Amino acid sequence: MVDEKIVREEIMNLKPYIPGKPIEEVKRELGLDQVIKLASNENPLGPSTQAIEQMKEAINKVNIYPDGNVHNLRSKLSTNLGVESDQLIFGNGSDELLVMLGQAFMRSDDEVIMAETTFSEYEFATKLMGAKINKVPLKNNTHDLEAMAKEITDKTKVIFICNPNNPTGTIVKKDEVEKFLKEVPDDVVIVFDEAYYEYVESTDYPETINYLLDYDNIIILRTFSKIYGLGGLRVGYGIANQSLINYMERVRQPFNVNTIAQIGATASLDDSDHVAKTLDYNRQGKEYLYQEFEKLGLEYVPTDTNFILVDLPMSNDKVFEEMLKEGVIIRSLSSYGYNTEVRITIGLPEENKKLVKVLKDVLGV
Ligand SMILES: *Cc1c(COP(=O)(O)O)cnc(C)c1O
C-alpha cells in the first residue's frame, strides 16, 4: 500500500474518467456479436479514406520521431483558418490542451468558472492544479453567460465556455458572447471549447476567431476527434494570439502529437467531401430521431452537434443497462447529476433505427 501521505493533496479528490463503454468490452461481457455504440459522439462514417491511405504509408516511418513543430498540419490549418502559424498549438487531443492550460495558468488560490453541466475535463484540469471551481447552473440547457460574468472576482483566472455545450448540444449566441467579452477583465483567460464547431447550423453562432483581433486572453479549442472521425489518433488544437500560445508552448511535451496523427489530420483537411457527407448523414439522422422522439412523447434538447440529450420517463442508468443488453451503447447522464436524461450520438440510418427499436422495447411502448 502506498501511504496516502506521499500523494499530492490535489489528486485525492480526483476520480478516474469513465469513458463510453467500448464495443469490444460489451461484446465480451454480454456475449453479443452485434453491438453499436452511440455514446461518445464519434463519426459513424469512420475516418476519411484519403486519410487512411496516407496513414498506411506513414506507418513505415514510425522509427523516426514525430515533427515536434507539426509543420505540415500547422501550415495547412493556418491557411484554412486565416491565422498566423504561430497562433496555433497542437495537443494529444484537446484534452491535453486543457491540462496544458491548467499547467500554464492555474495556481492553487485561483478560481475557475465553468457551467455546472458541461464537459468533465475542465473540472479535471482545474482540480489537478488545485485551483478552485465555481460552477454556474445552465439556463434553458445553455451557458448562462450573464450569471457567469457576475461570478468573476479578483481571483478568477480561467473561464470555460463549451460552445456547443456537451452534453446539452446547445450554443451561446454571438450577441451574448460579445456582451460577455466586454465584462471579462483581460487578466482572465477565456476558453471557447468548440469541439463540435463544424456541426453547428444555428446562424447566430459566434465566429470566435474574429475576437482574437481585439482580445489576447481568448483561446479557442477544436479537435479532429469529432467530425473528422479521428478520435483514436488524438489530435486537437488551440487558436489564440502569440503571447498566450507562447506560454502554453512552455508546458508542451516535445513530441505530443504522433506522426500518424499529424498525417491523418492533415489529409482529413483536404477531404471536404467526407466532411460534407458526414454533415448530410448527421442532419438526416437528427431529423429522423427528432421525429421518433416526438412520436414517443419524449422531450429532447434541439442540438447543434452530432448528439442529442433526451429526457426519458425512467431512470437513465436503468435504460442504459437494458439497452446495453440489446447491444446498443448510449450515455447515461447520471454522472452529470441527471436522473432521467441520456445522451445519444446520431448514428448511421440503420443504427438510428436499431436505437429507436431497442429504446421502444426498453420503455415498453
Ligand atoms: C470530445 C470532446 C473533447 C475532446 O476532444 P479530444 O480532442 O478528443 O481530446 C473536448 N471538448 C468537448 C466538449 C468534447 O465533447
Side-chain angles (χ1 to χ4, degrees):
M1 278 281 276
V2 169
D3 188 337
E4 195 179 304
K5 284 202 284 293
I6 72 168
V7 179
R8 276 178 70 225
E9 206 184 314
E10 289 83 355
I11 74 158
M12 291 311 292
N13 55 6
L14 288 175
K15 288 187 212 88
Y17 180 77
I18 304 166
K21 249 184 180 313
I23 289 180
E24 293 310 318
E25 190 178 311
V26 174
K27 283 185 180 170
R28 216 166 39 234
E29 286 177 2
L30 296 172
L32 297 167
D33 39 57
Q34 289 283 350
V35 173
I36 60 170
K37 185 180 177 204
L38 300 172
S40 301
N41 309 335
E42 291 144 338
N43 185 334
L45 291 171
S48 141
T49 45
Q50 292 175 33
I52 293 171
E53 284 314 307
Q54 304 240 353
M55 290 190 284
K56 279 185 186 161
E57 280 190 31
I59 203 155
N60 298 309
K61 293 182 253 168
V62 293
N63 58 318
I64 309 293
Y65 274 93
D67 173 3
N69 290 320
V70 194
H71 179 268
N72 292 343
L73 178 57
R74 181 186 299 277
S75 104
K76 187 155 276 175
L77 259 185
S78 86
T79 307
N80 290 2
L81 299 171
V83 298
E84 298 296 326
S85 56
D86 55 2
Q87 288 186 270
L88 295 169
I89 185 162
F90 295 88
N92 196 256
S94 38
D95 282 354
E96 190 196 26
L97 294 165
L98 292 169
V99 173
M100 285 158 65
L101 272 163
Q103 291 172 329
F105 295 105
M106 293 176 196
R107 299 194 190 103
S108 57
D109 53 348
D110 287 338
E111 293 172 3
V112 174
I113 299 173
M114 64 189 75
E116 187 171 305
T117 314
T118 191
F119 190 53
S120 58
E121 293 306 288
Y122 313 145
E123 180 167 348
F124 167 70
T126 307
K127 282 186 174 167
L128 190 62
M129 301 312 299
K132 291 183 189 66
I133 296 171
N134 183 352
K135 289 188 179 179
V136 178
L138 298 178
K139 191 173 157 187
N140 300 325
N141 295 304
T142 308
H143 279 62
D144 185 349
L145 291 188
E146 265 180 47
M148 289 174 88
K150 288 202 186 99
E151 293 298 314
I152 298 171
T153 70
D154 292 349
K155 295 207 161 110
T156 304
K157 178 59 65 66
V158 176
I159 305 178
F160 288 106
I161 301 167
C162 188
N163 199 29
N165 189 37
N166 183 358
T168 56
T170 54
I171 62 153
V172 275
K173 302 187 179 95
K174 185 169 187 267
D175 54 345
E176 296 169 74
V177 169
E178 289 176 6
K179 185 159 169 274
F180 174 78
L181 290 178
K182 293 200 186 96
E183 293 173 36
V184 181
D186 61 10
D187 56 0
V188 174
V189 176
I190 307 166
V191 183
F192 288 101
D193 182 350
E194 300 181 349
Y196 302 92
Y197 171 86
E198 298 85 355
Y199 284 103
V200 175
E201 294 189 314
S202 294
T203 51
D204 41 12
Y205 182 65
E207 187 54 79
T208 45
I209 287 184
N210 296 336
Y211 304 144
L212 297 178
L213 294 173
D214 292 320
Y215 296 93
D216 286 328
N217 55 328
I218 290 178
I219 179 163
I220 302 153
L221 302 181
R222 296 197 191 148
T223 181
F224 285 92
S225 299
K226 303 289 157 62
I227 200 155
Y228 292 104
L230 299 176
L233 285 183
R234 317 304 302 127
V235 200
Y237 58 100
I239 318 160
N241 281 320
Q242 284 85 351
S243 61
L244 197 157
I245 294 291
N246 216 299
Y247 288 120
M248 283 183 64
E249 280 292 348
R250 296 174 193 220
V251 298
R252 186 176 67 79
Q253 291 186 42
F255 305 110
N256 61 329
V257 182
N258 73 71
T259 304
I260 295 176
Q262 293 189 30
I263 286 174
T266 310
S268 295
L269 288 175
D270 285 333
D271 195 348
S272 52
D273 287 350
H274 181 256
V275 171
K277 191 173 166 194
T278 303
L279 285 175
D280 219 41
Y281 272 90
N282 194 64
R283 222 172 274 130
Q284 287 176 36
K286 176 159 70 175
E287 288 313 315
Y288 168 75
L289 290 174
Y290 281 177
Q291 278 176 21
E292 294 297 320
F293 294 152
E294 277 158 32
K295 281 192 224 160
L296 293 170
L298 300 176
E299 268 188 54
Y300 61 87
V301 180
T303 187
D304 264 302
T305 65
N306 63 344
F307 60 83
I308 309 174
L309 184 151
V310 194
D311 193 4
L312 303 173
M314 60 192 269
S315 149
N316 47 18
D317 281 345
K318 175 95 180 132
V319 174
F320 166 78
E321 289 298 338
E322 293 301 315
M323 290 186 72
L324 201 61
K325 289 184 198 154
E326 301 302 317
V328 179
I329 316 172
I330 59 167
R331 190 78 191 230
S332 164
L333 296 180
S334 57
S335 64
Y336 289 82
Y338 288 121
N339 297 317
T340 55
E341 285 87 347
V342 296
R343 191 190 68 197
I344 294 170
T345 304
I346 299 166
L348 296 174
E350 55 275 28
E351 294 175 322
N352 297 331
K353 254 192 212 146
K354 172 148 187 200
L355 169 104
V356 170
K357 182 187 171 296
V358 169
L359 182 62
K360 279 183 183 165
D361 288 350
V362 169
L363 295 178
V365 291

